[in-house]
């Protein structure tokens, strides 16, 4: 299966090793991609685990899992990487009413003990 993150690689050679914990995502972009794939799969546990610990209280596993399940995740586009800790992206998906949606976000990431975490995001038009 092609990786949902649109890298052009097989899932096994792309985001899967991050989802299984076999490897840690080496960059903010790799983590971002693996989180998009985790919505597509979906894998709510991975989405929680890769959220910065102090920010987890603003999210919950069940909502993340459901958000992944109810939408069809069609495409990820990396728009910009303004610095090593930030990724701007567009996530394309079809919502439960069959409408095409684009989630455009500038996300911030941080490392703790060589592991990347998602901290927060600003939604863009
Ligand atoms: Zn991938």
């Amino acid at each position: 299966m092609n990786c949902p993150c649109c890298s052009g690689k097989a899932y096994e050679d792309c985001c899967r090793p991050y989802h299984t914990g076999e490897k840690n995502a080496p960059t903010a972009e790799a983590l971002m991609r693996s989180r998009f794939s985790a919505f597509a799969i979906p894998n709510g546990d991975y989405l929680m685990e890769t959220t910065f610990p102090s920010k987890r209280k603003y999210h919950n596993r069940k909502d993340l899992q459901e958000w992944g399940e109810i939408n069809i995740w069609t495409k990820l586009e990396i728009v910009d990487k303004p610095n090593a800790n930030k990724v701007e992206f567009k996530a394309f998906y079809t919502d439960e009413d069959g409408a095409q949606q684009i989630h455009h976000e500038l996300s911030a990431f941080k490392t703790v003990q060589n592991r990347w975490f998602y901290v927060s995001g600003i939604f863009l038009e």
Side-chain angles (χ1 to χ4, degrees):
M1 132 175 165
N2 281 332
C3 194
C5 82
C6 301
S7 60
K9 292 191 254 179
Y11 175 56
E12 292 69 39
D13 300 327
C14 189
C15 293
R16 188 172 186 273
Y18 308 139
H19 292 171
T20 58
E22 201 181 309
K23 284 188 201 169
N24 290 328
T27 62
E29 182 186 342
L31 186 80
M32 194 272 122
R33 288 181 165 281
S34 70
R35 286 176 52 90
F36 176 84
S37 293
F39 278 108
I41 295 291
N43 183 337
D45 290 326
Y46 183 77
L47 291 164
M48 280 307 281
E49 283 162 19
T50 54
T51 298
F52 197 69
S54 68
K55 301 284 184 184
R56 284 179 195 160
K57 57 178 179 279
Y58 303 117
H59 304 272
N60 80 69
R61 190 205 157 276
K62 190 170 157 278
D63 287 353
L64 291 165
Q65 182 78 18
E66 279 176 12
W67 184 241
E69 271 166 16
I70 61 173
N71 299 305
I72 299 164
W73 300 85
T74 46
K75 193 173 80 163
L76 173 67
E77 190 183 302
I78 305 294
V79 178
D80 194 19
K81 289 178 277 179
N83 63 47
N85 291 71
K86 292 211 163 108
V87 182
E88 180 185 343
F89 67 91
K90 286 181 182 173
F92 295 77
Y93 63 95
T94 306
D95 70 17
E96 56 187 327
D97 301 319
Q100 307 290 322
Q101 304 287 352
I102 301 173
H103 176 89
H104 186 185
E105 179 177 330
L106 176 63
S107 294
F109 299 86
K110 228 185 226 179
T111 45
V112 179
Q113 294 172 336
N114 294 320
R115 274 192 66 188
W116 282 98
F117 292 92
Y118 170 71
V119 179
S120 60
I122 301 164
F123 301 150
L124 306 167
E125 285 306 311

